[in-house]
Amino acid sequence: MIGFTQLYTELDSSNSTNAKIRAMVAYFKQADASDAAWATYFLTGRRLKRLIKRNELRAWTLTATGIPEWLLEETYQHVGDMAETIALLVPNSALGESLPLTLREWVEGRLLRLTDSSDQQREEQVLSWWKELPADACFTLNKLMTGALRVGVSQKLVQRALAEFFEVDAKVVAHRMMGSWEPSAEWFDGLGDPDAPGVTTSTPYPFFLASPLDGDPMELGAVADWRVEWKWDGIRAQIIRREGQTFIWSRGEELLEGRFPELEEAASHLSDGTVLDGEILAWRDGAPLPFSELQRRIGKLNPGPKLVASAPVVLLAYDILEFEGTDLRGEPLDARRDMLEGLLSQPVLLSDKDRCDSGNGPRFTESSEILKNDAPLLCSPQVGAKSWEDLARLREESRERGVEGFILKRASSAYRVGRQRGDWWKWKVDALTLDAVLIYAQPGSGRRSNLLTDYTFAVWKGEAGNSELLPVCKAYSGLSNDEIAELDRWLRNNTRERFGPVRSVKPEHVFEIAFEGIAWSKRHKSGVALRFPRIHRWRKDLASRDADTIDTVKDLIVAAN
């Protein structure tokens, strides 16, 4: 436990990538394999099921400290994180009597057994642990118990550290960590064992991700060297057919078993040892449906016929990673694409004879004319163009087509691991924006738990400046550290009311909010839902009365459709 606590503290206090890798490698060198397995589990964002409820922690803290409830609430408001608040308030041991216990002993021998204990036993157990541990280990323990442990490292960074520790290729480590796995000494040792099997029947491949294209696409060279596809707004997924079984994995490494029966049925006709990479979309009549339609399917296990019929889905496949058990990722994209088209029998690449020049630029065949097959496994159509200027003009039609822009892929590229710049780029259409008023704020998490960084924004209902403000979105990214600090000071001095950690503030500041899409929503009071909202800039030049109205926001939906 002491080693993991020290590692957690080091990672949370450093902004240096190399320093974080060194810290993880040093930990793996001194840790037992079973401890290292659990550490990897937590470092990669996996969590224990919540073992303790928040109201239980509050009650037990009052018991342990004897302080009045109002003081606990005031302290929490100042600190901004309950786990840290408890670690600072409860009497604990500077000696750390339980620290000799290993991380595995803590998790398997103590924490996981809480689920089989009575309420009184759980309270007595946790109170005794708080007394045994110093403040930093108590903080780590609280995070583990509540399932709120967040570490400032990406999964890719953890894989790099493990690759350095084992002295193996990071691609091998990444592949062996995909899918479902249980933390154990055997599993951890297998990450670096050259004789260990690379995959199980259900194991997906690490996804290759496109990087944002910020510059001029003409800097990429000749357009003929690139393959262009629409950027679909769905769920990135791999469909795996091995040993007579079908598995569907999301990019977030969630097994989507039973949620898309039509895809599983279609995949049952693929050859054993086939893995397709693509996008799951709600789809009808050769065109994508709004993402909200796909959301109806995401959370439904074994959906009924009525839901399947009302929100049908397809996989638009744009790559084949494995065929008849052979790993194809090292082959050039064009070769993989030829094999994919042959497998799904979809004529998707537009040739010159399918296109003619006009005064407004090239005319491209509509996707509904390309995807004539009603089967739920389809090739994602490729877009042909003679120049980057042609593509730029077509990109402006993205929202009308229900897509987010283009994905650009180098024709000779292999299928790589993670987000590696150079071969795959996402050339997205410019974000939609609106001007909204900041009305609520609350503390962030982790290193931002002492700052008000999570914001709620609203627009006017009725004539701007003369009616009520209607919340439309929450956002927490987009401001610089200096802007966050400045805004935090203002928010604390201009709070109207408090609702737990949430502050109602004077509606004076306007922010330009950028977002990727917008749709009608019955779940939101405003009647609309924004996709991926973030702060684009602080509009200090505008007064709150200058913010947009809900009618203006709704007009964006009409324009987008």
Side-chain angles (χ1 to χ4, degrees), residues 232 235-240 248-249 260 262-263 266-267 270 275-283 312-319 340 344 371 375-380:
W232 305 100
I235 300 173
R236 179 81 178 274
Q238 288 180 27
I239 288 188
I240 297 170
I248 303 178
W249 287 95
F260 303 109
E262 61 268 65
L263 298 183
L270 297 173
V275 179
L276 304 180
D277 180 21
E279 199 89 5
I280 297 175
L281 297 161
W283 189 270
V313 300
V314 299
L315 177 87
L316 290 188
Y318 38 70
D319 221 322
L340 177 67
L344 299 184
L371 304 177
L377 297 183
L378 306 170
C379 277
S380 174

Short mmCIF file of all heavy atoms in Angstrom, two decimals, residues 232 235-240 248-249 260 262-263 266-267 270 275-283 312-319 340 344 371 375-380:
data_model
loop_
_atom_site.label_atom_id
_atom_site.label_comp_id
_atom_site.label_asym_id
_atom_site.label_seq_id
_atom_site.Cartn_x
_atom_site.Cartn_y
_atom_site.Cartn_z
N TRP A 232 -17.95 9.62 -39.35
CA TRP A 232 -19.29 9.29 -38.88
C TRP A 232 -19.42 9.58 -37.39
O TRP A 232 -18.48 9.45 -36.62
CB TRP A 232 -19.59 7.81 -39.14
CG TRP A 232 -19.40 7.42 -40.57
CD1 TRP A 232 -18.33 6.79 -41.13
CD2 TRP A 232 -20.31 7.67 -41.64
NE1 TRP A 232 -18.51 6.63 -42.48
CE2 TRP A 232 -19.72 7.16 -42.83
CE3 TRP A 232 -21.56 8.27 -41.72
CZ2 TRP A 232 -20.34 7.23 -44.06
CZ3 TRP A 232 -22.18 8.34 -42.95
CH2 TRP A 232 -21.58 7.82 -44.11
N ILE A 235 -20.57 4.93 -32.80
CA ILE A 235 -19.72 4.24 -31.82
C ILE A 235 -18.63 3.50 -32.57
O ILE A 235 -18.91 2.61 -33.38
CB ILE A 235 -20.54 3.23 -31.00
CG1 ILE A 235 -21.66 3.91 -30.24
CG2 ILE A 235 -19.63 2.50 -30.02
CD1 ILE A 235 -22.58 2.92 -29.55
N ARG A 236 -17.39 3.86 -32.34
CA ARG A 236 -16.27 3.14 -32.93
C ARG A 236 -16.23 1.73 -32.32
O ARG A 236 -16.32 1.55 -31.11
CB ARG A 236 -14.97 3.88 -32.62
CG ARG A 236 -13.70 3.22 -33.16
CD ARG A 236 -13.50 3.53 -34.62
NE ARG A 236 -12.27 2.92 -35.11
CZ ARG A 236 -11.06 3.48 -35.02
NH1 ARG A 236 -10.92 4.66 -34.43
NH2 ARG A 236 -10.00 2.86 -35.53
N ALA A 237 -16.12 0.73 -33.17
CA ALA A 237 -16.21 -0.65 -32.67
C ALA A 237 -15.43 -1.61 -33.55
O ALA A 237 -15.14 -1.32 -34.71
CB ALA A 237 -17.67 -1.09 -32.61
N GLN A 238 -15.09 -2.74 -32.97
CA GLN A 238 -14.54 -3.87 -33.71
C GLN A 238 -15.50 -5.04 -33.58
O GLN A 238 -16.00 -5.33 -32.49
CB GLN A 238 -13.17 -4.27 -33.16
CG GLN A 238 -12.05 -3.30 -33.49
CD GLN A 238 -10.71 -3.75 -32.93
OE1 GLN A 238 -10.45 -4.94 -32.73
NE2 GLN A 238 -9.85 -2.77 -32.66
N ILE A 239 -15.76 -5.70 -34.71
CA ILE A 239 -16.53 -6.94 -34.71
C ILE A 239 -15.56 -8.09 -34.94
O ILE A 239 -14.80 -8.09 -35.92
CB ILE A 239 -17.63 -6.91 -35.79
CG1 ILE A 239 -18.75 -5.95 -35.38
CG2 ILE A 239 -18.18 -8.29 -36.03
CD1 ILE A 239 -19.96 -5.99 -36.28
N ILE A 240 -15.59 -9.04 -34.03
CA ILE A 240 -14.65 -10.15 -34.05
C ILE A 240 -15.41 -11.45 -34.27
O ILE A 240 -16.41 -11.72 -33.58
CB ILE A 240 -13.88 -10.23 -32.71
CG1 ILE A 240 -13.05 -8.96 -32.51
CG2 ILE A 240 -13.01 -11.48 -32.64
CD1 ILE A 240 -12.45 -8.85 -31.13
N ILE A 248 -18.45 -8.02 -30.06
CA ILE A 248 -18.44 -6.61 -30.49
C ILE A 248 -17.85 -5.79 -29.35
O ILE A 248 -18.40 -5.77 -28.24
CB ILE A 248 -19.85 -6.11 -30.84
CG1 ILE A 248 -20.48 -7.00 -31.92
CG2 ILE A 248 -19.79 -4.66 -31.30
CD1 ILE A 248 -21.90 -6.60 -32.28
N TRP A 249 -16.74 -5.11 -29.64
CA TRP A 249 -16.06 -4.30 -28.63
C TRP A 249 -16.11 -2.83 -29.03
O TRP A 249 -15.85 -2.47 -30.18
CB TRP A 249 -14.59 -4.71 -28.51
CG TRP A 249 -14.36 -6.02 -27.83
CD1 TRP A 249 -14.21 -7.24 -28.42
CD2 TRP A 249 -14.25 -6.24 -26.42
NE1 TRP A 249 -14.01 -8.22 -27.47
CE2 TRP A 249 -14.03 -7.63 -26.23
CE3 TRP A 249 -14.32 -5.41 -25.31
CZ2 TRP A 249 -13.88 -8.19 -24.97
CZ3 TRP A 249 -14.16 -5.98 -24.05
CH2 TRP A 249 -13.95 -7.34 -23.88
N PHE A 260 -26.67 -5.46 -30.07
CA PHE A 260 -26.92 -5.27 -31.50
C PHE A 260 -27.06 -6.63 -32.16
O PHE A 260 -26.16 -7.08 -32.89
CB PHE A 260 -25.78 -4.46 -32.12
CG PHE A 260 -25.56 -3.12 -31.46
CD1 PHE A 260 -24.43 -2.90 -30.68
CD2 PHE A 260 -26.48 -2.10 -31.60
CE1 PHE A 260 -24.22 -1.67 -30.06
CE2 PHE A 260 -26.29 -0.88 -30.98
CZ PHE A 260 -25.16 -0.66 -30.21
N GLU A 262 -28.68 -7.71 -34.69
CA GLU A 262 -28.60 -7.77 -36.14
C GLU A 262 -27.16 -7.78 -36.62
O GLU A 262 -26.83 -8.41 -37.64
CB GLU A 262 -29.37 -6.61 -36.77
CG GLU A 262 -28.87 -5.21 -36.40
CD GLU A 262 -29.58 -4.62 -35.19
OE1 GLU A 262 -29.40 -5.19 -34.11
OE2 GLU A 262 -30.27 -3.58 -35.34
N LEU A 263 -26.25 -7.11 -35.90
CA LEU A 263 -24.84 -7.15 -36.27
C LEU A 263 -24.23 -8.51 -35.95
O LEU A 263 -23.40 -9.03 -36.71
CB LEU A 263 -24.07 -6.04 -35.54
CG LEU A 263 -24.47 -4.60 -35.86
CD1 LEU A 263 -23.56 -3.63 -35.12
CD2 LEU A 263 -24.43 -4.33 -37.35
N ALA A 266 -25.34 -10.91 -38.65
CA ALA A 266 -24.62 -10.70 -39.91
C ALA A 266 -23.18 -11.19 -39.81
O ALA A 266 -22.65 -11.79 -40.76
CB ALA A 266 -24.65 -9.22 -40.28
N ALA A 267 -22.55 -10.96 -38.65
CA ALA A 267 -21.15 -11.37 -38.47
C ALA A 267 -20.99 -12.88 -38.41
O ALA A 267 -19.89 -13.40 -38.65
CB ALA A 267 -20.58 -10.73 -37.21
N LEU A 270 -19.33 -14.40 -41.40
CA LEU A 270 -17.93 -14.11 -41.71
C LEU A 270 -17.08 -15.34 -41.45
O LEU A 270 -17.43 -16.20 -40.62
CB LEU A 270 -17.41 -12.95 -40.87
CG LEU A 270 -18.08 -11.59 -41.06
CD1 LEU A 270 -17.56 -10.59 -40.02
CD2 LEU A 270 -17.84 -11.06 -42.47
N VAL A 275 -11.66 -9.89 -38.20
CA VAL A 275 -11.88 -8.74 -37.32
C VAL A 275 -12.08 -7.51 -38.20
O VAL A 275 -11.21 -7.17 -39.02
CB VAL A 275 -10.71 -8.50 -36.36
CG1 VAL A 275 -10.98 -7.27 -35.48
CG2 VAL A 275 -10.46 -9.72 -35.48
N LEU A 276 -13.24 -6.85 -38.05
CA LEU A 276 -13.55 -5.64 -38.79
C LEU A 276 -13.54 -4.45 -37.84
O LEU A 276 -13.98 -4.54 -36.70
CB LEU A 276 -14.93 -5.74 -39.44
CG LEU A 276 -15.18 -6.92 -40.39
CD1 LEU A 276 -16.60 -6.84 -40.94
CD2 LEU A 276 -14.17 -6.94 -41.52
N ASP A 277 -13.06 -3.32 -38.34
CA ASP A 277 -13.04 -2.07 -37.59
C ASP A 277 -13.96 -1.09 -38.30
O ASP A 277 -13.89 -0.94 -39.53
CB ASP A 277 -11.61 -1.52 -37.54
CG ASP A 277 -11.50 -0.21 -36.77
OD1 ASP A 277 -12.39 0.08 -35.96
OD2 ASP A 277 -10.51 0.52 -36.98
N GLY A 278 -14.83 -0.44 -37.53
CA GLY A 278 -15.74 0.49 -38.17
C GLY A 278 -16.56 1.28 -37.18
O GLY A 278 -16.18 1.44 -36.02
N GLU A 279 -17.68 1.80 -37.64
CA GLU A 279 -18.54 2.68 -36.84
C GLU A 279 -19.96 2.12 -36.82
O GLU A 279 -20.53 1.83 -37.87
CB GLU A 279 -18.56 4.08 -37.44
CG GLU A 279 -19.01 5.16 -36.50
CD GLU A 279 -17.85 5.76 -35.69
OE1 GLU A 279 -16.70 5.38 -35.94
OE2 GLU A 279 -18.13 6.61 -34.83
N ILE A 280 -20.49 1.95 -35.60
CA ILE A 280 -21.88 1.55 -35.46
C ILE A 280 -22.75 2.81 -35.50
O ILE A 280 -22.51 3.76 -34.75
CB ILE A 280 -22.12 0.78 -34.16
CG1 ILE A 280 -21.31 -0.52 -34.14
CG2 ILE A 280 -23.60 0.46 -33.98
CD1 ILE A 280 -21.39 -1.28 -32.84
N LEU A 281 -23.75 2.78 -36.38
CA LEU A 281 -24.63 3.94 -36.55
C LEU A 281 -26.09 3.48 -36.59
O LEU A 281 -26.39 2.39 -37.08
CB LEU A 281 -24.33 4.65 -37.87
CG LEU A 281 -22.95 5.27 -38.06
CD1 LEU A 281 -22.70 5.49 -39.53
CD2 LEU A 281 -22.87 6.59 -37.32
N ALA A 282 -26.97 4.31 -36.07
CA ALA A 282 -28.38 4.13 -36.37
C ALA A 282 -28.56 4.56 -37.83
O ALA A 282 -28.09 5.63 -38.23
CB ALA A 282 -29.24 4.97 -35.43
N TRP A 283 -29.26 3.75 -38.62
CA TRP A 283 -29.19 3.92 -40.08
C TRP A 283 -30.51 3.51 -40.72
O TRP A 283 -31.09 2.48 -40.37
CB TRP A 283 -28.06 3.02 -40.60
CG TRP A 283 -27.68 3.19 -42.02
CD1 TRP A 283 -28.21 2.53 -43.10
CD2 TRP A 283 -26.66 4.04 -42.54
NE1 TRP A 283 -27.58 2.92 -44.24
CE2 TRP A 283 -26.61 3.84 -43.93
CE3 TRP A 283 -25.77 4.94 -41.96
CZ2 TRP A 283 -25.72 4.51 -44.75
CZ3 TRP A 283 -24.88 5.61 -42.78
CH2 TRP A 283 -24.86 5.41 -44.16
N PRO A 312 -32.86 0.88 -36.34
CA PRO A 312 -31.96 -0.13 -36.90
C PRO A 312 -30.52 0.39 -36.94
O PRO A 312 -30.29 1.59 -37.06
CB PRO A 312 -32.51 -0.35 -38.31
CG PRO A 312 -33.21 0.94 -38.64
CD PRO A 312 -33.79 1.43 -37.35
N VAL A 313 -29.56 -0.52 -36.83
CA VAL A 313 -28.16 -0.12 -36.84
C VAL A 313 -27.40 -0.86 -37.93
O VAL A 313 -27.81 -1.93 -38.39
CB VAL A 313 -27.47 -0.38 -35.48
CG1 VAL A 313 -28.17 0.39 -34.37
CG2 VAL A 313 -27.42 -1.87 -35.16
N VAL A 314 -26.29 -0.26 -38.33
CA VAL A 314 -25.35 -0.90 -39.24
C VAL A 314 -23.93 -0.69 -38.70
O VAL A 314 -23.70 0.19 -37.86
CB VAL A 314 -25.42 -0.30 -40.67
CG1 VAL A 314 -26.79 -0.49 -41.27
CG2 VAL A 314 -25.02 1.17 -40.67
N LEU A 315 -23.03 -1.52 -39.17
CA LEU A 315 -21.60 -1.25 -38.98
C LEU A 315 -21.06 -0.80 -40.33
O LEU A 315 -21.08 -1.57 -41.29
CB LEU A 315 -20.83 -2.48 -38.50
CG LEU A 315 -19.32 -2.19 -38.39
CD1 LEU A 315 -18.97 -1.61 -37.02
CD2 LEU A 315 -18.49 -3.44 -38.64
N LEU A 316 -20.62 0.46 -40.39
CA LEU A 316 -19.91 0.92 -41.58
C LEU A 316 -18.43 0.58 -41.38
O LEU A 316 -17.72 1.25 -40.64
CB LEU A 316 -20.09 2.43 -41.78
CG LEU A 316 -21.48 2.89 -42.20
CD1 LEU A 316 -21.46 4.36 -42.56
CD2 LEU A 316 -21.98 2.08 -43.40
N ALA A 317 -18.00 -0.50 -42.00
CA ALA A 317 -16.63 -0.98 -41.82
C ALA A 317 -15.68 -0.20 -42.70
O ALA A 317 -15.96 0.04 -43.88
CB ALA A 317 -16.56 -2.47 -42.16
N TYR A 318 -14.55 0.24 -42.11
CA TYR A 318 -13.55 0.91 -42.94
C TYR A 318 -12.19 0.27 -42.86
O TYR A 318 -11.22 0.79 -43.39
CB TYR A 318 -13.45 2.40 -42.61
CG TYR A 318 -13.58 2.80 -41.17
CD1 TYR A 318 -12.59 2.51 -40.24
CD2 TYR A 318 -14.70 3.50 -40.73
CE1 TYR A 318 -12.72 2.91 -38.92
CE2 TYR A 318 -14.84 3.89 -39.43
CZ TYR A 318 -13.84 3.59 -38.52
OH TYR A 318 -13.96 3.98 -37.21
N ASP A 319 -12.10 -0.88 -42.19
CA ASP A 319 -10.82 -1.58 -42.17
C ASP A 319 -11.05 -3.03 -41.79
O ASP A 319 -12.02 -3.36 -41.10
CB ASP A 319 -9.85 -0.95 -41.17
CG ASP A 319 -8.42 -0.87 -41.69
OD1 ASP A 319 -8.01 -1.83 -42.38
OD2 ASP A 319 -7.74 0.13 -41.44
N LEU A 340 -11.27 -5.82 -47.80
CA LEU A 340 -12.54 -5.50 -47.14
C LEU A 340 -13.66 -5.39 -48.16
O LEU A 340 -14.76 -5.94 -47.96
CB LEU A 340 -12.40 -4.19 -46.37
CG LEU A 340 -13.65 -3.67 -45.67
CD1 LEU A 340 -14.06 -4.61 -44.54
CD2 LEU A 340 -13.43 -2.26 -45.13
N LEU A 344 -17.09 -7.71 -48.30
CA LEU A 344 -18.45 -7.19 -48.14
C LEU A 344 -19.13 -6.87 -49.46
O LEU A 344 -20.29 -6.47 -49.48
CB LEU A 344 -18.41 -5.94 -47.25
CG LEU A 344 -17.89 -6.15 -45.83
CD1 LEU A 344 -18.00 -4.87 -45.03
CD2 LEU A 344 -18.63 -7.28 -45.13
N LEU A 371 -24.56 2.70 -51.10
CA LEU A 371 -24.87 1.62 -50.18
C LEU A 371 -26.25 1.05 -50.49
O LEU A 371 -27.22 1.33 -49.81
CB LEU A 371 -24.80 2.14 -48.74
CG LEU A 371 -23.45 2.79 -48.37
CD1 LEU A 371 -23.52 3.33 -46.96
CD2 LEU A 371 -22.32 1.79 -48.50
N ALA A 375 -27.94 -5.06 -45.93
CA ALA A 375 -27.26 -5.83 -44.89
C ALA A 375 -26.64 -4.87 -43.88
O ALA A 375 -26.20 -3.77 -44.23
CB ALA A 375 -26.18 -6.70 -45.51
N PRO A 376 -26.61 -5.26 -42.60
CA PRO A 376 -26.09 -4.35 -41.57
C PRO A 376 -24.56 -4.25 -41.53
O PRO A 376 -24.03 -3.49 -40.74
CB PRO A 376 -26.64 -4.93 -40.28
CG PRO A 376 -26.88 -6.36 -40.56
CD PRO A 376 -27.24 -6.45 -42.01
N LEU A 377 -23.84 -5.01 -42.37
CA LEU A 377 -22.39 -4.86 -42.48
C LEU A 377 -22.09 -4.25 -43.83
O LEU A 377 -22.28 -4.88 -44.87
CB LEU A 377 -21.68 -6.21 -42.34
CG LEU A 377 -21.82 -6.93 -41.01
CD1 LEU A 377 -20.99 -8.23 -41.03
CD2 LEU A 377 -21.37 -6.05 -39.85
N LEU A 378 -21.63 -3.00 -43.82
CA LEU A 378 -21.40 -2.25 -45.06
C LEU A 378 -20.02 -1.64 -45.05
O LEU A 378 -19.45 -1.37 -44.00
CB LEU A 378 -22.44 -1.12 -45.20
CG LEU A 378 -23.91 -1.51 -45.11
CD1 LEU A 378 -24.77 -0.26 -45.01
CD2 LEU A 378 -24.32 -2.34 -46.32
N CYS A 379 -19.50 -1.40 -46.24
CA CYS A 379 -18.25 -0.64 -46.36
C CYS A 379 -18.55 0.85 -46.21
O CYS A 379 -19.49 1.37 -46.82
CB CYS A 379 -17.60 -0.87 -47.72
SG CYS A 379 -16.62 -2.36 -47.84
N SER A 380 -17.74 1.52 -45.42
CA SER A 380 -17.85 2.96 -45.35
C SER A 380 -17.42 3.54 -46.69
O SER A 380 -16.34 3.22 -47.18
CB SER A 380 -16.94 3.49 -44.23
OG SER A 380 -16.93 4.90 -44.22
#
